[in-house]
């Protein structure tokens, strides 16, 4: 586990925001009594319901209210679906790549109290034996329902665009090696990030697509034509678009143009104010459209924890003022972002429509994972995963499967 020097918890900050910090074991929303969450602006796939309501019966959203339901007045608040993060390396001082199962659960809980009710655990580059062992550990947590899958970011990436990955551990994406990781995940491999221009890259994309695993183009030095070839082979995600890839050029457009223009591709964006200029964010939304954007955290251990020194795989990271950089070389090393902050920034600073932001945080990543029948919107029959926000889009409450993770304090 990565230890932080001088790190601090954010519980006091949550108290000042008016939300009760969650306990390790979520509390039942109603002691089995159905609840009507009423009076809020409810964001639905079809639009925003003014003074709408969401009915929670057990672990699911119900279409009609039972006679014994009680009401909670959320007038002046927002109700949005629980957030879905498909790219996350840890939080709360815990690493998904190197921590114990207890550490991983701590990291998951850290992001839950910030609204992420569905989470994919991302690894960083390591040797194959380590990664296959790690896949086995994380797959157990997926089988328990704590994780929505595993994302392998590395080692099949370009040394030219390695970012915060150990260069000596990188390797070409040989389909046999990629298949080893997929098999080690026991059906819980959600995504693999590849530099598809490397030897074996295109064949690996085809293999992943055949096995129902997302092939993501990232940490790549590919040109425009090579990226188009990878998309045609079955790649459907751009790993943190703009970051760790050649910049857009007017004579050499590179991968960014190919990824933005193709309707088959969903683009990940890290909206923390460090990884992207607001104009780049606007460019992505304008050209990809709100239905092809997935906000991610790319969080590392310091998310929800504090500044200090951490380890990201074998590399040392310094976190200062919430920005994580490698001690050697200064490359950005993931983020300390939580998705509630990404939401608030997108609406209040970037001025994006609330519905578009909800799509990027919930519906779009849920669809990518093949889980939209259960999560990603506040429709009857789905899991009661939801986030309560105040009028200024500050987090007030989090419910997961009908249980309060953060109980809203109203009045």
């Amino acid at each position: 586990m990565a230890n932080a020097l001088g790190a601090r918890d954010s519980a006091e900050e949550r108290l000042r925001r008016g939300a009760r910090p969650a306990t390790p074991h979520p509390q039942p929303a109603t002691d089995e009594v159905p609840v009507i969450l009423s009076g809020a602006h409810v964001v639905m796939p079809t639009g925003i319901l003014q003074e709408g309501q969401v009915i929670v019966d057990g672990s699911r959203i119900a279409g009609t209210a039972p006679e014994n339901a009680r009401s909670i007045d959320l007038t002046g608040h927002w109700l949005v679906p629980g957030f879905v993060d498909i790219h996350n390396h840890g939080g709360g001082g815990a690493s998904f790549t190197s921590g114990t199962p207890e550490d991983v659960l701590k990291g998951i809980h850290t992001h839950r109290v910030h609204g992420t009710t569905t989470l994919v655990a991302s690894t960083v580059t390591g040797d194959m034996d380590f990664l296959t062992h790690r896949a086995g550990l994380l797959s157990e947590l997926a089988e328990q329902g704590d994780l929505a899958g595993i994302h392998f970011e590395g080692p099949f990436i370009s040394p030219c665009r390695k970012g915060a990955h150990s260069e000596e551990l990188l390797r070409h994406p040989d389909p046999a090696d990629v298949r080893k990781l997929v098999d080690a995940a026991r059906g819980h491999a959600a995504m693999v990030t590849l530099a598809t221009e490397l030897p074996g890259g295109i064949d690996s994309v085809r293999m992943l697509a055949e096995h129902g695993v997302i092939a993501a183009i990232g940490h790549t030095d590919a040109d425009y034509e090579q990226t188009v070839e990878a998309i045609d082979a079955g790649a459907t995600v751009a790993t943190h678009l703009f970051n760790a890839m050649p910049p857009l050029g007017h004579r050499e457009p590179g991968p960014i143009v190919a990824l933005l223009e193709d309707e088959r591709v969903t683009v990940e964006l890290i909206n923390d104010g460090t990884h992207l200029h607001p104009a780049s964010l606007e460019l992505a939304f304008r050209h990809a459209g709100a239905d092809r954007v997935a906000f991610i955290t790319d969080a590392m251990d310091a998310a929800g924890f504090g500044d200090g020194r951490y380890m990201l795989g074998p590399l040392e990271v310094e976190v200062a003022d919430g920005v994580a950089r490698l001690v050697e070389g200064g490359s950005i090393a993931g983020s300390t972002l939580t998705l509630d902050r990404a939401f608030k920034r997108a609406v209040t600073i970037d001025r994006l429509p609330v519905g578009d932001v909800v799509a990027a945080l919930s519906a779009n990543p849920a669809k990518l994972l093949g889980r939209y029948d259960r999560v990603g919107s506040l429709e009857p029959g789905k899991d009661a995963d939801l986030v309560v926000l105040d009028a200024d889009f500050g987090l007030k409450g989090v419910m997961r499967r009908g249980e309060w993770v953060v109980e809203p304090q109203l009045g």
Side-chain angles (χ1 to χ4, degrees):
M1 172 178 157
N3 295 313
L5 304 178
R8 58 182 176 82
D9 201 341
S10 58
E12 292 183 0
E13 295 174 13
R14 291 198 298 275
L15 281 170
R16 284 196 292 270
R17 291 202 304 266
R20 177 183 297 171
T23 60
H25 303 287
Q27 300 301 306
T30 65
D31 294 327
E32 303 302 324
V33 176
V35 164
I36 304 171
L37 303 173
S38 62
H41 310 298
V42 181
V43 182
M44 299 292 289
T46 54
I48 298 172
L49 302 179
Q50 305 297 332
E51 298 184 1
Q53 67 177 23
V54 172
I55 303 164
V56 177
D57 191 357
S59 64
R60 298 291 185 91
I61 297 171
T64 58
E67 290 184 3
N68 63 332
R70 67 183 179 90
S71 182
I72 297 177
D73 185 7
L74 294 178
T75 299
H77 292 74
W78 291 84
L79 265 181
V80 301
F83 309 142
V84 180
D85 194 353
I86 60 172
H87 188 156
N88 187 315
H89 297 278
S95 168
F96 297 154
T97 297
S98 59
T100 65
E102 291 74 22
D103 293 332
V104 176
L105 288 171
K106 179 181 178 182
I108 294 168
H109 184 72
T110 295
H111 287 281
R112 280 187 190 165
V113 302
H114 289 280
T116 298
T117 52
T118 301
L119 185 147
V120 172
S122 302
T123 62
V124 297
T125 293
D127 66 44
M128 289 297 294
D129 287 341
F130 173 81
L131 288 174
T132 54
H133 178 267
R134 197 69 196 166
L137 182 151
L138 293 173
S139 66
E140 292 181 8
L141 295 176
E143 287 159 6
Q144 294 173 190
D146 295 299
L147 292 173
I150 305 166
H151 164 219
F152 298 100
E153 187 181 23
F156 312 113
I157 61 177
S158 171
C160 301
R161 305 286 175 178
K162 66 183 185 299
H165 291 256
S166 178
E167 185 168 357
E168 60 267 23
L169 295 174
L170 300 181
R171 58 200 298 142
H172 290 161
D174 181 274
D177 287 338
V178 178
R179 179 67 186 271
K180 285 180 184 177
L181 295 188
V182 172
D183 289 345
R186 303 201 299 261
H188 299 289
M191 182 164 65
V192 179
T193 292
L194 308 162
T196 54
E197 76 278 7
L198 295 176
I202 298 299
D203 287 339
S204 290
V205 168
R206 293 194 182 101
M207 182 273 294
L208 291 169
E210 288 171 0
H211 286 81
V213 179
I214 298 166
I217 300 172
H219 288 276
T220 176
D221 204 41
D223 59 24
Y224 175 86
E225 289 76 17
Q226 290 170 322
T227 306
V228 169
E229 182 184 10
I231 296 169
D232 287 340
T236 56
V237 167
T239 294
H240 42 54
L241 186 74
F242 298 108
N243 297 111
M245 60 182 61
L248 189 154
H250 64 292
R251 293 193 181 92
E252 298 180 0
I256 294 172
V257 172
L259 294 163
L260 281 176
E261 71 182 5
D262 199 302
E263 294 182 355
R264 294 170 290 181
V265 177
T266 297
V267 297
E268 295 181 348
L269 298 176
I270 308 171
N271 193 27
D272 62 352
T274 297
H275 282 78
L276 294 175
H277 189 281
S280 297
L281 184 83
E282 181 184 3
L283 177 74
F285 262 91
R286 179 179 299 175
H287 288 275
D291 60 343
R292 289 180 45 221
V293 172
F295 278 140
I296 61 164
T297 59
D298 194 17
M300 45 80 70
D301 310 17
F305 202 61
D307 291 352
R309 289 281 181 107
Y310 298 81
M311 297 300 296
L312 187 61
L315 304 178
E316 191 172 15
V317 175
E318 175 77 30
V319 179
D321 297 325
V323 178
R325 294 184 180 275
L326 291 181
V327 171
E328 286 192 22
S331 175
I332 293 177
S335 84
T336 62
L337 186 64
T338 53
L339 285 182
D340 59 329
R341 287 168 45 208
F343 191 116
K344 185 169 184 176
R345 180 181 179 86
V347 175
T348 63
I349 295 176
D350 303 310
R351 303 295 180 183
L352 294 172
V354 173
D356 289 355
V357 177
V358 168
L361 283 165
S362 302
N364 299 343
K367 290 173 183 177
L368 274 175
L369 295 176
R371 290 174 176 254
Y372 192 61
D373 61 329
R374 294 291 302 273
V375 300
S377 70
L378 297 177
E379 296 171 281
K382 293 192 176 184
D383 290 348
D385 291 359
L386 55 87
V387 177
V388 182
L389 304 169
D390 62 22
D392 297 319
F393 300 99
L395 186 143
K396 283 288 188 178
V398 180
M399 180 184 287
R400 182 174 186 268
R401 297 181 184 175
E403 297 183 341
W404 290 115
V405 181
V406 177
E407 188 175 354
Q409 299 300 290
L410 308 170

